[in-house]
Amino acid sequence: MRNQFRNLFMAVAIILINMVVVQQAVAQEKGKKPNIIYIMSDDHAYQAISAYGYGLNQTPNIDKLADQGVLFNRAFVTNSICGPSRAVMLTGKHSHINGFKDNHSTFDGNQQTVAKLLHDGGYTTAVIGKWHLISEPQGFDYWNIVPGQGEYYNPDFIENGVKKRVPGYITNLTTDFAINWLDKRDKDKPFFLIYQQKAPHRNWMPEEKYYHLFDSTEFPVPANYFDGYQTRTKAAQAQEMEIATDMHYAYDLKLAFDLPKDKQTGLAAGWQGIYNRLTPEEKKKWEAAYGPSIEAFNKANLSGKDLAIWKYQRYMKDYLRCVQSVDDNVGRLMDYLKANGLDQNTIIIYTSDQGFYLGEHGWFDKRFMYEESFRTPLIVKWPGVTNKKVTTSSMVQNLDFAETILDMAGLPIPADMQGKSFVPLLKGKQKGNVHDALYYHFYENQEHKVAKHIGVRTDRYKLIYFYENNEWELYDLQKDKGEMNNVYNDPSYSKVKTMMQKKLEELRKQYKDSEPAVVNK
């Protein structure tokens, strides 16, 4: 009995000591500059965050951020592609200024970045997870990144220049490394952590525990899934990102395991390399999970619209399974902050490198200036500032992220940055738009055959110019949210067209963009 009382006393004492330690940590943190964690997932569509209300899936941990923060309904990017979006976030400058126009560029790490400015301003800094900028990170006390796109299973990581393969699932591993750094960081300084997930990037390989999530779910097919592009330009018709025709049977749709050697070219070779990363035990579990659906698919012998819908369902289930692990790991990170008394002085920014098509227009991927890829999710939780859920329709852009982060840290914003801080909006001191009009420029025209284009978006209208084809599109977003009806040649929109073309030229001049050299109307 005496031993039982002693054990009970010791347990209570330990709990009380831990409570005091956490309370002291909270008190200390409140007196410091805010810590900042920038969370960027890859290709995470706003439609796939339940706080946005599309009803496709449940993301309770990301939703908790929105419950205590600001959810942006109209956050956009300058260039809807992975690497360039990251470069814009780091520099606060458009792609043509920071030099990283497409995924084949190499980021000039010698230039000014938000990480360097925070580091010089007294922050300890780290970037962990996906980097995708070719050159090695600069301005960080610690970096642990995946080469290129990274792999879902047993990925390689490059830790401060040393490359090694790490067993496990990449979404969990990225969080493991982030928490480990937070444990070992210089605790005398505020921290800035860029925590970037690979998921849910193509080819959407879910974590083992989610292999059967959504097995019994039939997702609603978007109303414009069988879009015929009748009023659109040739650019919309020429793309190669249709779920029905452009997804690879093995790489994307998981309709094969090991492939014959004579089939291992292109995406088939890519799939075989990915599949070979799995251990024998992992392969057994993968084949047990996907084998029955492959057998059922082969037996069904689908064609036409039925086949197109089957592919959509397969894509959606794997994509959303990957999202589920992202949400789990947001929860893990938030739990760590709370357990260590860091939650009351740590700003959380959750976003994606751009939006993504979940079957709208029949597509996957991004690139186009149409709303689903141009628009990105953005949630900001700032303890003591955003203590209740607020939803805003103010137009902001990833061009503004660096400026906003510097403003949050109480540091000056360099005059050569091109965006605007939206801290006043977060503090409830600004009403209306941060930007009245947004400028966009996509440069790549390689993978998926999406033509180069520039464009401008206002509250109501969107103008897109495919300059290599000299083709224009104009949308009335109030009347046509799905962007199905190009009204560029509609006489009733002639004044709108003139106004939008003028606005496009004004923004090109403001942002010092000289490509294309001539705009033909």
Side-chain angles (χ1 to χ4, degrees), residues 37-41 65 193-197 326 330 333-334 348-352:
I37 299 181
Y38 177 86
I39 305 174
M40 178 185 275
S41 297
L65 302 179
L193 169 62
I194 297 179
Y195 160 77
Q196 301 189 133
Q197 292 287 9
V326 170
V330 168
L333 188 57
M334 296 307 107
I348 308 297
I349 302 168
Y350 186 90
T351 189
S352 175

Side-chain angles (χ1 to χ4, degrees), residues 37 39 41 60-62 65 169-179 195 197 199 207 209-210 321-337 350:
I37 299 181
I39 305 174
S41 297
N61 294 297
I62 297 173
L65 302 179
Y169 188 69
I170 192 168
T171 310
N172 301 329
L173 291 171
T174 300
T175 310
D176 292 343
F177 290 132
I179 290 174
Y195 160 77
Q197 292 287 9
E207 186 180 358
K209 68 179 180 179
Y210 289 128
R321 288 163 179 158
C322 292
V323 168
Q324 210 63 43
S325 293
V326 170
D327 186 72
D328 287 349
N329 280 277
V330 168
R332 282 183 62 204
L333 188 57
M334 296 307 107
D335 288 346
Y336 172 87
L337 295 178
Y350 186 90

Side-chain angles (χ1 to χ4, degrees), residues 130-145:
K130 189 165 181 180
W131 176 244
H132 208 217
L133 292 174
I134 311 299
S135 59
E136 290 187 347
Q138 294 186 34
F140 298 96
D141 294 300
Y142 175 83
W143 51 276
N144 196 354
I145 61 172

